[in-house]
Amino acid sequence: MARKSTPSSHSPVSETGVIRKDSRGRVRVGLVFPNTYAVAMANLGFQAVYALFNAREDVACERFLLPETPGPIKSLESGWPLDQCDIVAFSLSFENDYPNIPAILHQGGIPFLRENRNKNHPLILAGGVATFLNPEPLADFFDLFLIGEAEVLTRPFFNLFARYRNLSRKESLCAMAKEMDGIYAPAFYTPLRNEKGDICGYKTEAGLPEKIKRVFDPHAKNQATCSVITSPDSAFADTFLIEVSRGCPHGCRFCSAGFVYRPPRFRNMDVLERAMAEGKARNMKIGLMGTAVSDLKDIDRICAAAKDGNLVLSFSSLRADALTPALLDALVAGGVKTATIAPEAGSPRMRQVINKGLDTPTILEAAEKLVSAGIPNIRLYFMIGLPEEKPEDITALKDLVLEIKARFLEASRLKGYMGSITVGVSPFVPKPFTPFQWAAMESENHLKKILKSLRKSFAPVPNVRFHDENPKNSILQALLAKGDRDTSRLITALWQEKGHLARACRSIDFDPGPCLEARSFGDYLPWEIIDNGIRRSFLEKEYMKAKKALPTPPCPMKNCEDCGICREKVPFPPP
């Protein structure tokens, strides 16, 4: 294996860290991220899988991305055609990328529907967090899914692939699915439907598990996940990314990462220090990534080490109740001009509903701390259309922004400058394996009405900028996140109709309504073919607590009986 700073003619000329291997005698894997180069190379999961696959002596892995022009798709490293790979592996993080999947397969000369492929086509698989939330909308496109974390799936999967690759496609898939946790081969699982047409379970071929266990890395704290390839064309052009945490202890009821990555795991200090040293050797800023960066117990030590080493830090997420002096100093030293606070909801009641765990005084104090430390601008994130939301909660959102602005102005005057507040508002999207998986997605008209009201309220307010997410995008995300196998027809139609949802639905007579409606506890949910380890009864209990605006303490990150994730030892993969 060799890493070179000068890439082939197929990849950006200024990439560093590219891995190139002679593919002769090796399994050729095309690793696909179904979006643009800038988005793909900012995705740590994609980069981690690239390194893990190439760490095997018997594998040569090259990258494929969403093409910008018509014509054959070729790998960035060596210009392989996609259809000449042995395996095509998609890394999937975002539902709204799904319509790019049939587009890439089609343009790569591969039938995009599984049923139209034969033994001469590559094995088409997918992994990534989107797949262990709900693989069903994609089931007709893929031969198999790897459900769980790549660090523990890679080795046993390639061992089994080598063992069974000379069998027929059906025989090899069946053998692998029987022997290994985390392999889901959807061809062997037939959806069963009730009289209303809703999925009520699956008929499974003999010998295969009724549910697919999400495979979990018990040693994540001891392994670094960081940038492999760096490029000025990435969304984080000058930043070496390091994953600090996987999962989050706070249990916000809308957040899938807080549940499917349980229990939360934080990297050890020595692992992070070694990764930071690698970033320093590349003369780059250090970007600390994770859903709970400020919960790292060694975060102040990390900030001190960065200061001693003249490293510039940035953070993907910081809670308003965790802004220590060391963190603030690191933000200022890193030249941060805009810091983010995510109250998510305007009223204290709604923050109880979603289990955010932030009160109004803490939010106001955080704004004041940031400005007083020397950070002139603040970005605020809110959601609308949340379960149990009432008109007065929208009024409270407006009032909270004005309260934050008052504290912001007071602190700014003392510093002698005036910055701005950006208010970002997105519609809530219900996600699988969260307490809100039973909640409805609000209608486009309702969401537009709220956004119009907020836009009008903030328009005359000096130094406040308002940005919102198009409700159409959020509704599409909900459809793709909560769909069943019939949703694959919609994905194909979206590709053919260039992303226009209404036209796509009309073209195939697809009714999106049932997917967006509230579900009852008695309903079977399409994604329950996956076992993510969380007790359903725990999620039901959390949803009922949300209706009563009752909080739940953060995950204690040790054995307990609450959610069920720690009731069994984490299974290790077979040799």
Side-chain angles (χ1 to χ4, degrees):
M1 183 190 307
R3 296 191 181 198
K4 300 179 183 179
S5 59
T6 305
S8 74
S9 60
H10 302 281
S11 52
V13 295
S14 49
E15 284 188 329
T16 59
V18 177
I19 302 171
R20 290 189 186 80
K21 300 168 74 173
D22 186 343
S23 65
R24 287 174 295 183
R26 291 186 166 106
V27 177
R28 288 167 54 130
V29 179
L31 181 61
V32 183
F33 194 91
N35 208 309
T36 62
Y37 180 89
V39 176
M41 299 317 298
N43 187 280
L44 265 183
F46 179 65
Q47 294 223 23
V49 172
Y50 177 74
L52 285 165
F53 284 7
N54 275 311
R56 287 189 63 101
E57 179 59 32
D58 58 344
V59 171
C61 174
E62 300 198 356
R63 295 165 294 155
F64 292 80
L65 305 175
L66 182 68
E68 298 179 2
T69 58
I73 298 178
K74 295 187 177 181
S75 69
L76 295 185
E77 284 78 3
S78 303
W80 296 347
L82 189 68
D83 62 352
Q84 296 304 304
C85 296
D86 299 303
I87 297 173
V88 173
F90 281 76
S91 177
L92 302 176
S93 298
F94 310 110
E95 292 89 354
N96 286 30
D97 288 343
Y98 289 178
N100 296 331
I101 294 169
I104 289 170
L105 290 172
H106 177 73
Q107 195 167 333
I110 301 170
F112 58 84
L113 291 177
R114 181 183 67 250
E115 63 184 21
N116 295 332
R117 297 194 289 265
N118 59 43
K119 65 180 181 180
N120 297 318
H121 291 115
L123 181 73
I124 311 298
L125 65 85
V129 65
T131 65
F132 52 94
L133 283 173
N134 182 14
E136 285 305 283
L138 302 170
D140 288 347
F141 303 122
F142 289 99
D143 297 309
L144 66 83
F145 296 91
L146 293 177
I147 304 296
E149 297 177 334
E151 290 85 352
V152 286
L153 285 166
T154 297
R155 178 176 57 84
F157 166 72
F158 280 111
N159 289 349
L160 290 177
F161 179 78
R163 188 184 306 167
Y164 296 120
R165 67 179 300 182
N166 291 326
L167 299 179
S168 71
R169 178 65 54 87
K170 181 178 180 180
E171 289 173 326
S172 65
L173 285 172
C174 190
M176 288 191 289
K178 286 179 179 178
E179 291 191 32
M180 177 179 160
D181 283 345
I183 286 188
Y184 176 35
F188 303 127
Y189 293 79
T190 304
L192 303 174
R193 296 186 181 270
N194 59 24
E195 61 279 0
K196 296 190 299 181
D198 297 331
I199 287 181
C200 57
Y202 293 85
K203 179 182 177 182
T204 306
E205 287 208 12
L208 292 173
E210 292 186 4
K211 289 193 172 189
I212 313 303
K213 284 188 177 181
R214 182 265 304 189
V215 178
F216 172 102
D217 181 9
H219 304 298
K221 66 180 183 179
N222 299 318
Q223 303 173 82
T225 301
C226 50
S227 296
V228 179
I229 297 172
T230 54
S231 166
D233 299 314
S234 165
F236 299 109
D238 57 349
T239 306
F240 186 81
L241 304 178
I242 302 171
E243 186 182 48
V244 167
S245 62
R246 192 169 292 180
C248 175
H250 294 282
C252 295
R253 293 175 177 131
F254 58 85
C255 178
S256 55
F259 290 92
V260 298
Y261 281 119
R262 283 196 173 201
R265 287 148 293 158
F266 293 83
R267 296 305 198 282
N268 287 336
M269 180 69 179
D270 59 336
V271 171
L272 296 176
E273 286 180 328
R274 287 196 298 271
M276 289 168 65
E278 183 178 350
K280 183 177 181 179
R282 296 200 195 189
N283 197 29
M284 303 186 76
K285 297 179 183 177
I286 303 297
L288 301 181
M289 309 295 288
T291 48
V293 173
S294 51
D295 286 280
L296 179 70
K297 64 182 178 64
D298 291 319
I299 192 65
D300 283 357
R301 286 179 60 195
I302 290 290
C303 293
K307 184 177 181 179
D308 292 343
N310 294 315
L311 285 167
V312 174
L313 291 181
S314 63
F315 305 87
S316 65
S317 62
L318 295 173
R319 281 180 60 92
D321 55 359
L323 296 179
T324 66
L327 271 175
L328 291 168
D329 287 347
L331 289 170
V332 174
V336 172
K337 301 300 181 185
T338 302
T340 299
I341 303 173
E344 311 290 4
S347 69
R349 184 191 71 86
M350 276 307 302
R351 290 195 292 276
Q352 294 272 77
V353 167
I354 64 176
N355 203 40
K356 182 64 181 179
L358 290 177
D359 58 25
T360 300
T362 299
I363 295 168
L364 297 175
E365 183 180 359
E368 184 175 348
K369 281 181 177 179
L370 289 166
V371 177
S372 297
I375 300 168
N377 307 305
I378 296 176
R379 183 182 292 115
L380 304 172
Y381 280 133
F382 294 94
M383 287 186 290
I384 60 168
L386 285 158
E388 308 304 311
E389 185 177 85
K390 300 176 181 178
E392 51 263 39
D393 297 309
I394 303 303
T395 301
L397 189 161
K398 302 172 188 175
D399 293 342
L400 178 60
V401 171
L402 295 179
E403 285 187 79
I404 291 171
K405 187 193 173 185
R407 295 286 281 269
F408 172 83
L409 286 175
E410 184 179 347
S412 296
R413 289 191 186 100
L414 293 174
K415 298 295 290 185
Y417 53 70
M418 187 60 60
S420 65
I421 296 176
T422 301
V423 179
V425 178
S426 300
F428 158 75
V429 176
K431 289 295 185 79
F433 293 109
T434 69
F436 287 162
Q437 65 182 351
W438 291 281
M441 177 78 202
E442 283 289 0
S443 70
E444 183 180 353
N445 287 339
H446 178 79
L447 295 168
K448 281 184 173 179
K449 183 178 178 181
I450 294 175
L451 292 172
K452 182 179 179 181
S453 169
L454 291 171
R455 199 178 297 111
K456 183 177 180 182
S457 296
F458 294 127
V461 182
N463 301 100
V464 172
R465 302 169 182 171
F466 182 79
H467 293 287
D468 56 17
E469 174 72 19
N470 188 333
K472 283 187 171 67
N473 293 335
S474 300
I475 289 169
L476 174 59
Q477 186 183 152
L479 284 170
L480 300 180
K482 296 181 66 179
D484 60 21
R485 288 209 189 175
D486 195 43
T487 309
S488 63
R489 295 193 305 119
L490 176 63
I491 293 170
T492 301
L494 283 163
W495 158 49
Q496 293 168 339
E497 297 294 341
K498 300 185 180 348
H500 194 287
L501 179 57
R503 286 204 305 264
C505 289
R506 286 195 300 269
S507 71
I508 58 170
D509 193 24
F510 185 92
D511 179 9
C515 190
L516 301 175
E517 293 170 356
R519 310 281 183 101
S520 71
F521 290 158
D523 291 339
Y524 183 89
L525 305 174
W527 47 92
E528 290 185 307
I529 188 69
I530 305 300
D531 177 8
N532 265 307
I534 303 289
R535 287 195 186 103
R536 193 185 212 258
S537 59
F538 172 76
L539 298 177
E540 292 176 356
K541 180 181 175 182
E542 282 295 295
Y543 192 33
M544 297 308 297
K545 290 175 76 172
K547 289 178 175 294
K548 298 175 183 178
L550 297 175
T552 296
C555 171
M557 292 185 281
K558 61 182 180 181
N559 288 339
C560 73
E561 293 299 319
D562 289 347
C563 73
I565 196 70
C566 297
R567 68 185 183 273
E568 298 177 358
K569 288 185 177 180
V570 176
F572 286 83

